[in-house]
Amino acid sequence: MQLVSTLLPGVLLLEPRVFGDERGFFFESFNQRAFDEVVGDHVDFVQDNHSKSRRGVLRGLHYQLPPKAQGKLVRVVEGEVFDVAVDLRRASATYGHWAGALLSAANKRQMWIPPGFAHGFVTLSETAEFLYKTTDYYAPEHERCIRWNDPALAIDWGYSREPQLSAKDAAAPGFAEAEKAF
Ligand SMILES: Cc1cn([C@H]2C[C@H](O)[C@@H](COP(=O)(O)OP(=O)(O)O[C@H]3O[C@H](C)C(=O)[C@H](O)[C@H]3O)O2)c(=O)[nH]c1=O
């Protein structure tokens, strides 16, 4: 696994070493030692998630409040998404800033989003299957949302049509109104 770029302080775009041959390919999708080395700290994951979305589905922006804040290591195994992280850490120089990257089955890139960031993605392919590891368990009572198109964030999702949202995401508050506590 190698660091492609730092998208925001702490938010890393990673790429595995892929071994291709006449049969197809092999790569280590997660290696604890290699991940800790590139992050510079030991990170424990407790849950794996898998979602499938159709083109235009936008999931997010979501996060869990402390003490249930989640770090997420996300990747795409079918199709393509534009994946976004937003800095919620009040003391951060990049508070309220966003960063994004194309994650796809083809580029096999992964994004590490530490606790303290909101996360979301929009589906750019006919369908996309999205897998991610989290550093804490799902805690709906600690989950909060931020509206995907808040002008205060001005996220360029790279998707020109109206996305398909869950009712929860359609009703999400703006960045300023959302409870953060980081
Ligand atoms: C996240 C989660 C959900 N669920 C159940 C709760 C609902 O009955 C159903 C769908 O949940 P939701 O609509 O919140 O799923 P997403 O919109 O994909 O939410 C995720 O979307 C963005 C991209 C994120 O970064 C978060 O990991 C997560 O919030 O799965 C669980 O049982 N466990 C879980 O960890």
Side-chain angles (χ1 to χ4, degrees):
M1 175 167 285
Q2 66 177 17
L3 177 63
V4 175
S5 65
T6 299
L7 299 171
L8 283 172
V11 179
L12 306 179
L13 185 60
L14 309 170
E15 195 164 88
R17 183 178 176 193
V18 180
F19 298 90
D21 63 27
E22 65 283 352
R23 299 168 298 169
F25 68 75
F26 174 92
F27 69 97
E28 294 179 357
S29 52
F30 179 71
N31 177 303
Q32 184 74 63
R33 184 173 50 217
F35 181 73
D36 288 353
E37 188 175 326
V38 77
V39 167
D41 192 5
H42 177 69
V43 178
D44 283 319
F45 293 101
V46 296
Q47 186 174 312
D48 280 350
N49 296 331
H50 183 160
S51 67
K52 180 171 184 175
S53 304
R54 285 190 293 274
R55 189 188 309 274
V57 167
L58 191 152
R59 296 177 186 253
L61 297 154
H62 301 158
Y63 57 101
Q64 291 188 172
L65 295 173
K68 299 292 183 182
Q70 293 174 312
K72 298 168 188 172
L73 179 60
V74 306
R75 69 189 181 108
V76 171
V77 294
E78 190 252 342
E80 182 177 54
V81 309
F82 187 73
D83 201 72
V84 171
V86 178
D87 193 347
L88 305 178
R89 303 166 301 173
R90 288 188 179 284
S92 167
T94 55
Y95 174 68
H97 293 201
W98 70 274
L102 285 170
L103 305 180
S104 68
N107 72 23
K108 300 178 179 56
R109 288 183 166 182
Q110 302 183 19
M111 196 187 294
W112 163 239
I113 302 139
F117 289 79
H119 173 247
F121 68 85
V122 66
T123 308
L124 301 176
S125 49
E126 191 56 36
T127 58
E129 295 210 31
F130 192 83
L131 275 60
Y132 54 113
K133 307 175 86 68
T134 63
T135 60
D136 208 332
Y137 295 103
Y138 177 53
E141 70 285 355
H142 286 78
E143 185 182 61
R144 298 295 184 273
C145 304
I146 293 174
R147 191 166 60 248
W148 66 281
N149 62 348
D150 185 345
L153 298 175
I155 297 169
D156 179 2
W157 291 91
Y159 186 72
S160 58
R161 303 175 60 181
E162 197 64 22
Q164 180 181 346
L165 305 172
S166 65
K168 174 178 73 175
D169 291 345
F175 177 76
E177 297 77 34
E179 182 183 3
K180 302 182 190 64
F182 288 99

